[in-house]
Amino acid sequence: TNLDSAGNPAADGSAVFGANPTSNKAVGGALPTAAASISIGGKFVTAANTLFAPASTGSWIINATGGDAVGAALSATATVTDGSTTSAQIASLITKINALAALIAKIQKKLGVK
């Protein structure tokens, strides 16, 4: 068996999935197909496999079966959070910074600092 420098089996170009993966949420881009050859860690990847997280929040699950003889069940789970919460926090922080800057200017004026 050929191995790479880390001792992993060399990519043989075999399909990773036994059937097309499914997602419980609509995604941007596309899930890879059963015929796609992808990899992790820089081994055997195609540029056609572009996937973006869903726009809706909550638990996101991708299910597939392995492309090997065993056909083991594969699953990946992630949680998608609402980015607008972060935007609201940033806006609140900017408001507080502006109020602090105005207070500093007021104190400097009372002290006669220019």
Side-chain angles (χ1 to χ4, degrees), residues 46-106:
T46 64
N49 300 319
T50 304
L51 174 66
F52 300 99
S56 59
T57 61
S59 181
W60 174 33
I61 304 167
I62 297 176
N63 291 305
T65 56
D68 58 1
V70 177
L74 305 172
S75 181
T77 304
T79 301
V80 180
T81 57
D82 184 3
S84 66
T85 301
T86 303
S87 297
Q89 291 171 335
I90 292 171
S92 174
L93 183 59
I94 289 171
T95 300
K96 290 176 183 178
I97 290 170
N98 289 337
L100 180 59
L103 183 59
I104 291 170
K106 189 175 182 180

Side-chain angles (χ1 to χ4, degrees), residues 12-54:
D12 62 3
S14 298
V16 176
F17 304 114
N20 289 346
T22 60
S23 174
N24 68 327
K25 294 183 177 289
V27 297
L31 289 167
T33 64
S37 296
I38 61 174
S39 69
I40 298 173
K43 299 179 201 109
F44 209 83
V45 69
T46 64
N49 300 319
T50 304
L51 174 66
F52 300 99

